[in-house]
Amino acid sequence: MKQKGKPGSCTQDLVSLRRDFHRFPEPGFGEFRTAGIVADFLCRHGFRVKIADEAMNMAAVHHRDESKVAESAERAVAGGMDKGLIERMLGGGTAVVADIGPLSGPVVAFRFDMDALPIQESNDQSHLPAAQGFASTNPGLMHACGHDGHVAIGLGLAAALAGLGDSLKMTVRLIFQPAEEGTMGAAEAIVDRGSMNNVRYMMCCHLGLGLPTGAIACRSVFLATSKYAVDFFGAESHASNEPQSGKNALLAAASASLALHGIGAHSDGWLSLNVGVLRAGESQVIVPGRATIELGYWADKNEIHDYVTDRVRQIIKGSAETWGVVAEQRLIGRAPIAPQSGTLANVIKDCAVGMPGLTEARDWVESRVAEDGNVFLAEVANMGGHGAFIIIGSDIKGGHHTPSFDIDERSLALGVSLLSKVCLQLLDD
Amino acid sequence: MKQKGKPGSCTQDLVSLRRDFHRFPEPGFGEFRTAGIVADFLCRHGFRVKIADEAMNMAAVHHRDESKVAESAERAVAGGMDKGLIERMLGGGTAVVADIGPLSGPVVAFRFDMDALPIQESNDQSHLPAAQGFASTNPGLMHACGHDGHVAIGLGLAAALAGLGDSLKMTVRLIFQPAEEGTMGAAEAIVDRGSMNNVRYMMCCHLGLGLPTGAIACRSVFLATSKYAVDFFGAESHASNEPQSGKNALLAAASASLALHGIGAHSDGWLSLNVGVLRAGESQVIVPGRATIELGYWADKNEIHDYVTDRVRQIIKGSAETWGVVAEQRLIGRAPIAPQSGTLANVIKDCAVGMPGLTEARDWVESRVAEDGNVFLAEVANMGGHGAFIIIGSDIKGGHHTPSFDIDERSLALGVSLLSKVCLQLLDD
Amino acid sequence: MKQKGKPGSCTQDLVSLRRDFHRFPEPGFGEFRTAGIVADFLCRHGFRVKIADEAMNMAAVHHRDESKVAESAERAVAGGMDKGLIERMLGGGTAVVADIGPLSGPVVAFRFDMDALPIQESNDQSHLPAAQGFASTNPGLMHACGHDGHVAIGLGLAAALAGLGDSLKMTVRLIFQPAEEGTMGAAEAIVDRGSMNNVRYMMCCHLGLGLPTGAIACRSVFLATSKYAVDFFGAESHASNEPQSGKNALLAAASASLALHGIGAHSDGWLSLNVGVLRAGESQVIVPGRATIELGYWADKNEIHDYVTDRVRQIIKGSAETWGVVAEQRLIGRAPIAPQSGTLANVIKDCAVGMPGLTEARDWVESRVAEDGNVFLAEVANMGGHGAFIIIGSDIKGGHHTPSFDIDERSLALGVSLLSKVCLQLLDD
Amino acid sequence: MKQKGKPGSCTQDLVSLRRDFHRFPEPGFGEFRTAGIVADFLCRHGFRVKIADEAMNMAAVHHRDESKVAESAERAVAGGMDKGLIERMLGGGTAVVADIGPLSGPVVAFRFDMDALPIQESNDQSHLPAAQGFASTNPGLMHACGHDGHVAIGLGLAAALAGLGDSLKMTVRLIFQPAEEGTMGAAEAIVDRGSMNNVRYMMCCHLGLGLPTGAIACRSVFLATSKYAVDFFGAESHASNEPQSGKNALLAAASASLALHGIGAHSDGWLSLNVGVLRAGESQVIVPGRATIELGYWADKNEIHDYVTDRVRQIIKGSAETWGVVAEQRLIGRAPIAPQSGTLANVIKDCAVGMPGLTEARDWVESRVAEDGNVFLAEVANMGGHGAFIIIGSDIKGGHHTPSFDIDERSLALGVSLLSKVCLQLLDD
């Protein structure tokens, strides 16, 4: 990556970058090392770089796992990273937003996500990262969804653009976001700092997701989602000596869970709800005075998502009342459905067709998961701009979010080539 | 019963009376024929008789099954009963309250209940009423709890007192109450008309309840109870075409039922709750917009009863809210725990001991059911008077509330003797 | 309808027929009068007619409401219909299957449904049948889904074909089925008698369903469905006197209902489940020993339907066991998803385009309900033939299954014209 | 406690012993230091002492918290205790059973319990142990139920008996049991080693429990109890991507919890059930594949306890089946109702009356908790011997099982005096 401006020619560098990120996976909002490398790279390639509270507003974040973030910060310190920079990112977040090109006017923007997953990577010798020595060195953390590749592609795109000097007709903005998994508010917090102002074209990308190496999709449908934690506060009492004095938070949580799963179908589309966690009580002999549930739901229309949101609120309130306890509901994650631009999809398709290595350019793919990137795409659509969520096919080993997940690294160069070409095409419009 | 004033000597008359009532059982608040005979008998024996709205305030009643009452009124008309009297009782209730003795001053009162049960009497020849031709002639109705015997005893007591002319030192009041079963408010409605004013001693009695012929108990513990109907009003919708528009009253009722049964134990005593009826919905393809439950609960302390009352209200409100429906809760029956007087129990015991045929005089018996008579006993205790619920043992065939129930008619004379003796003893105090 | 063979020219006859059926709606399996008229009409027009047990196997039917059927039979007798014919249909069912053309070889078949709904028709003067005197004369029954029109179209098609004498190159079979609503097994019972043997092309049709007058759809997607009744057998006991002896069927049914509604989403498609009826218990003071639920479910894939079927069985068994009761599950209705033929759809489209009055010919419409006709379409697909469910647009007043439902009678002639043309086209293939 | 044989005269020693045990509370089955001191004391006072596997059969124990036991063993090692002895007790349990007197023949036995509670002791200066420097030095552990006093009384009794040399006419057996709290099987495991053979009189004692200093009760009614843990094994799946593949252990546990709390009243007595713990799932996005509940129940009759046991088993099996998961139920604690001897109570009462400091000797007290000592009392009754659970009144500060619990140390000498006197009286019989 020493040489600038040769999109597609730097496959080796892309692979090296990706493998480096793969070795050092970091949790959501704990991407200190990753963001540090990204910021440095972008600075060195002539971008105007914003980090921490310049790039995002942590107050707009729904949820952050403080203990994991603190652990990750210690690891970054131990790895020799600058303590002042870590401090800034601890307070202001681990986003990096960088511009190149004109200081004003319309913007073409790309989003890349940097966080890893709480998964212990396989050390089976059939797993390439293990066999070739670039498996995760951070216990219990793994890039098992390809975000390491996304960051590499983002830097490859940066390198490609850097070589174009002052010739860029529009500003190009690269957004490296933390904490995509769990949709905990990172995208909303970046939007909140104004990073979508003047954005005319907004693209996100993801590797794999069912498409083989060589194929791409111009747009992708993700689901709308919300995640909540709910605390139930009742009252403890001895279960044989004074049962009537207890206010049973466990039964409130249990009833709520059953009722939440009883939210029925919607004739306009698809929805799924899951109470994934229930924790209540400490002892067989004590009426449980405290309980917590965590739940998520998904829908293929924002209206259906909102219908579920209303029912969830009603069920939690009613269940708490039924058992004489108090419930507090906390948002810990959300992402919308985002409309995607046919105009932009056509540009992407036109750029893709005929590219070396490209085997198929689909218009759409559908996915039964949610993506924080939809926050950016919904915002750009809302402002009258164009958005698309591009899938860059990659022959995946293992499945997404499993210990033996691995991408086909040949996809990286193809990704950089496609994004560079689309970017330049849009600048020329 | 033509001759007055010979307590205990009129066994044949008591049996005839009892068998007549047994042949013509009437439902709660539909005791037209029974009350008519009682009122007439009391008038002829020199009592000052109040009926209908003079005797009770129907506005204080919780519940009345109008269709059964109307059917019973038709039957009474067909039986040749005076229509005007039936009209009065339809409007004002079927209670009869009658005094004898001084026009003012303290009162000794007795309560007898007149209603039958919605049970089809056995016509097996091993069942005495069937074998001897005095089984119920009213389909689906039966004196299966001995109230026919209670009325006979009450009239026997009246006859005994009638012979004493002006010698009575205190007023004696006989209360013939309708609708004891289901504790639907008849006793409260009689109290509401002032019939407990100046009552110093109040006694109820019941045949059987586990005591053999010859035994009596001076006092009995019944349970506090309440019964409610709850209507849930939601919204119907087609279950595949537009499920999201429904508000599911069936699930509200089902959740409420489970939560109601989850009302736990109370360390101060015993309680039981039952949702006995749930009716919801009309079709598999329609989200049920209407549901009804009926429930009862019982406790051996008024405080526990009140604790359950609070929880029931909370559960119904919360369950309705959970499912987005509206609930309306209607009281349909209740009876309290009543303290009973040791002083009065001693008088009863002293009178009982040595009576011909008496084999045992217990202080207390306990019962896991409720009794509307407790309303009178609670009221007299509240006013500083003395109350007792006397059990007159009777060898029971079948069980209470079963089609082959039958009392031992020898108990009737013993009951009249005991009550007469106690009454005279109290008048002499 | 006196003259044969002039498709589309007999609008007045079609309207008269439809209005006659509209005045005399009959319940599922109680279509005595309707089937009698249909059979007579077809005989008079030269069809080889099978009725009752020749046309269907009642043993294959899931459910029949005997009291409604008996009531309908009485009505037919009172209307002067032949008693022997009614007897045959009572025993063997109310289907009519009639052939015209060659005695062997491939068959082109059409299905028409005859049953009405348990709805009380509006007598508002804004409701055309009321205003013009052809509203339902059978209380609580109404043609509120257009089946009266379907029968009229079927007879119109019969009249059109009758004029063609011996020139028909293939057998044409008209199937008039009872009891489409509730998918109670009528179609399966007709298939069971061999009526789908040699069928190469199978068409069903429906009026309205969202399409306006003038529009048609060549194919329609309905949902797979099943309906069940479940009886829970527990044990009664007195709820305060001996609660421990009861086995609570009400709570089993309530738990089952909640768990059934907790059957979650399926990622391959859409499903909806509804427990539409729950009836349990008789008295507040008795632990309920009996309960019944009725439920239906719908899915847009047969595999999802089967997944729900498995879960339903598991939930009912487990819920019964939880409460110590016994459950019996009875199938009362079902219908599958049926693949529909693109080849046949093209023929229909080609025939439709250019027809007088036709404004639009869609390939597909989707519907969130189930249709018993799918049984025929699934069978023909299974045998390698072609099936299509045609929608004949009609401006609907009120909604389907509401008291003010009404079709636009102009659709009837268009329907006859289209089906006749398609039929002749297929015969010529 | 240096001098032997002077019952009641060694108050200071009793207080010193109690305060020493109070400073070093140990968890159930982790009473290494306590049992070591007890065994040593008894040896030095001439008892024949059995420990570890001689005293109890760990295989008969229902449950042991291995991590707390290991932690306690480390603490004992750090405190300088003999490692070999700790090893023996780790393997064989922490019971101490010691005899004095004849080597054969009938036995008079006493039970004392040694375990502390998982409670952090108050360090408020109003709390005597904190003010006087003998509060718990083991974080999160506290003698908050008086077992420290029980052990002191047991040793006081031992000292008293030791002075009597060879004059004892019957064997006296002192049983120091571990793990009374939670009734995890320690008593059963001690019985299993034959320690109740030939026992004619068996006594347990407890301080406080509502009786003031100076009062005693000869007998006490505790409840029957069982405690279970239940693991539900289902299957995980992604809640939006493949919800149908999950088998939801959380909902199984939630349903089971609601149904368990729906176990109704029993007319023969009192019962209470509590699901005190529910833990299920790890993530909002994963259908929970694992869940655990812990529950306890209590009844005032063994028959009611057994009725609940049957219902619990049924509910767990049925709930697991409902949700397609597998449940495993593990017993973690139990204790029976034990009949208590009127004969023995009379002896106790006779001994108590007139003792210095004694203010009241009640026959019975009732308690809404369970006691592992009932295992011994049930066994002795079963063998035709006599048992009694003596309460030694003590003015309690704070409540039992609270951080500010404290006994009135004056009760200790009274306890030793009473038990010594009763013991000598029984030996003389």
Side-chain angles (χ1 to χ4, degrees), chain D residues 99-300:
Chain D
D99 285 2
I100 196 165
L103 289 166
S104 65
V107 176
V108 178
F110 295 87
R111 191 285 318 251
F112 305 96
D113 44 6
M114 305 186 290
D115 53 316
L117 284 158
I119 290 173
Q120 178 63 43
E121 185 157 10
S122 168
N123 60 10
D124 196 288
Q125 287 304 302
S126 67
H127 180 57
L128 193 79
Q132 304 213 351
F134 66 94
S136 168
T137 61
N138 293 339
L141 285 165
M142 176 187 175
H143 271 296
C145 196
H147 297 191
D148 49 349
H150 301 169
V151 182
I153 289 172
L155 297 185
L157 175 61
L161 294 168
L164 302 177
D166 299 335
S167 67
L168 295 166
K169 294 177 186 166
M170 281 198 264
T171 308
V172 179
R173 181 169 297 153
L174 306 187
I175 299 170
F176 290 82
Q177 84 152 83
E180 188 283 321
E181 302 286 350
T183 61
M184 293 184 285
E188 291 191 35
I190 292 168
V191 170
D192 200 67
R193 273 290 180 264
S195 59
M196 293 297 287
N197 297 347
N198 300 317
V199 173
R200 184 173 290 172
Y201 300 102
M202 175 76 220
M203 280 158 280
C204 303
C205 73
H206 206 295
L207 289 161
L209 288 186
L211 282 195
T213 304
I216 67 120
C218 304
R219 295 185 284 185
S220 8
V221 184
F222 290 99
L223 300 172
T225 191
S226 283
K227 277 100 187 182
Y228 286 95
V230 185
D231 296 313
F232 295 90
F233 300 92
E236 293 193 344
S237 72
H238 192 282
S240 68
N241 207 30
E242 204 180 0
Q244 67 275 12
S245 301
K247 293 178 186 298
N248 198 316
L250 184 152
L251 292 181
S255 288
S257 298
L258 283 163
L260 287 164
H261 277 265
I263 295 178
H266 194 293
S267 55
D268 292 343
W270 190 89
L271 69 91
S272 180
L273 181 144
N274 185 53
V275 178
V277 178
L278 197 171
R279 304 206 173 275
E282 298 293 335
S283 159
Q284 310 109 21
V285 306
I286 304 295
V287 175
R290 285 288 305 272
T292 297
I293 61 173
E294 296 183 28
L295 66 127
Y297 48 89
W298 298 262
D300 64 6

Side-chain angles (χ1 to χ4, degrees), chain D residues 323-336:
Chain D
W323 298 95
V325 308
V326 171
E328 290 180 10
Q329 188 177 343
R330 289 175 284 120
L331 180 68
I332 54 180
R334 73 175 165 207

